[in-house]
């Protein structure tokens, strides 16, 4: 075998996985020292399963590079019209293809031991990054699929992680989140 080929293959296997998308923003409100923002794969009921990415909040701003890898199996479910509980979705729901789906939700926690990851004894508080009045919604799907629902809801998801801004009013407007667009993270206090 060619030495150059083996070196290239070894390098490719050691490179970290690419980021599916980047979420950057600023914090609105005060956070305690050692606060972190974590992106967690969640169950279909919104319960955190596994932290996929996190960033410190002490400086008042953050950057999360969401990994391209699929969420863990226990955070995935078959996407059906009966279990789509996404922001702005109102029955009837239509799904264009059979798919597995998952979701990433954001939680703030105090990293008490400074290990830069969530531990079971660290309390999670769900937060919703916003662009204007639109919340950021981050779903994952196993194949390309379109989801349609009442009041004009329609979103075309590509295989992997997707990010959308959802405006709910008389109609539902779903816009693709422009990768890297600054969000505002209201944390209270």
């Amino acid at each position: 075998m060619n030495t150059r080929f083996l070196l290239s293959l070894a390098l490719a296997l050691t490179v970290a996985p690419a980021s599916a998308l980047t979420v950057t923003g600023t914090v609105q409100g005060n956070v305690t020292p050692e606060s972190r923002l974590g992106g967690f794969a969640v169950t279909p009921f919104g319960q955190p399963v596994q932290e996929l990415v996190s960033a410190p909040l002490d400086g008042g701003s953050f950057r999360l590079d969401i990994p391209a890898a699929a969420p863990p199996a226990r955070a995935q479910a078959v996407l059906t019209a009966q279990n789509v509980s996404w922001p702005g979705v109102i029955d009837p729901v239509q799904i264009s293809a059979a798919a597995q789906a998952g979701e990433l939700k954001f939680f703030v926690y105090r990293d008490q031991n400074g290990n830069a990851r969530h531990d079971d004894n660290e309390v999670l508080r769900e937060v919703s990054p916003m662009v204007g009045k639109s919340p950021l919604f981050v779903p994952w799907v196993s194949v390309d699929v379109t989801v349609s629902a009442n009041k004009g809801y329609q979103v075309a998801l590509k295989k992997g992680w997707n990010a959308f801004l959802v405006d709910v009013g008389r109609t539902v407007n779903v816009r693709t989140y422009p990768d890297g667009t600054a969000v505002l993270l209201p944390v209270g206090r």
Side-chain angles (χ1 to χ4, degrees):
M1 281 198 151
N2 180 324
T3 304
R4 187 178 299 167
F5 171 76
L6 289 175
L7 183 58
S8 296
L9 180 60
L11 181 61
L13 293 174
T14 60
V15 173
S19 172
L21 67 109
T22 300
V23 177
T24 61
T26 56
V27 176
Q28 179 184 31
N30 296 321
V31 292
T32 58
E34 299 94 29
S35 289
R36 294 186 72 81
L37 174 63
F40 286 76
V42 298
T43 67
F45 305 105
Q47 299 300 313
V49 170
Q50 179 180 332
E51 183 178 48
L52 302 181
V53 63
S54 73
L57 294 178
D58 295 338
S61 63
F62 61 89
R63 175 186 171 104
L64 294 174
D65 293 314
I66 311 299
R74 61 190 180 162
Q76 296 179 31
V78 175
L79 186 62
T80 67
Q82 293 76 32
N83 70 1
V84 178
S85 58
W86 299 348
V89 171
I90 301 169
D91 287 335
V93 178
Q94 292 90 32
I95 298 170
S96 68
Q100 287 289 111
E103 184 179 344
L104 183 88
K105 287 195 174 192
F106 301 93
F107 295 85
V108 171
Y109 62 93
R110 186 168 178 209
D111 184 18
Q112 297 173 350
N113 62 3
N115 67 351
R117 67 174 185 264
H118 177 257
D119 294 306
D120 290 341
N121 65 326
E122 295 166 341
V123 177
L124 293 174
R125 183 166 46 104
E126 187 174 351
V127 292
S128 184
M130 306 288 287
V131 175
K133 293 183 179 183
S134 303
L136 177 65
F137 173 63
V138 183
W140 173 88
V141 289
S142 60
V143 298
D144 292 358
V145 63
T146 299
V147 176
S148 303
N150 204 357
K151 293 193 172 189
Y153 186 103
Q154 183 160 352
V155 62
L157 299 111
K158 297 291 182 192
K159 178 181 178 178
W161 291 103
N162 296 262
F164 298 98
L165 300 171
V166 182
D167 296 310
V168 179
R170 289 183 184 207
T171 61
V172 178
N173 182 22
V174 182
R175 303 174 279 139
T176 300
Y177 166 75
D179 193 33
T181 298
V183 299
L184 186 62
L185 185 68
V187 293
R189 290 189 182 212

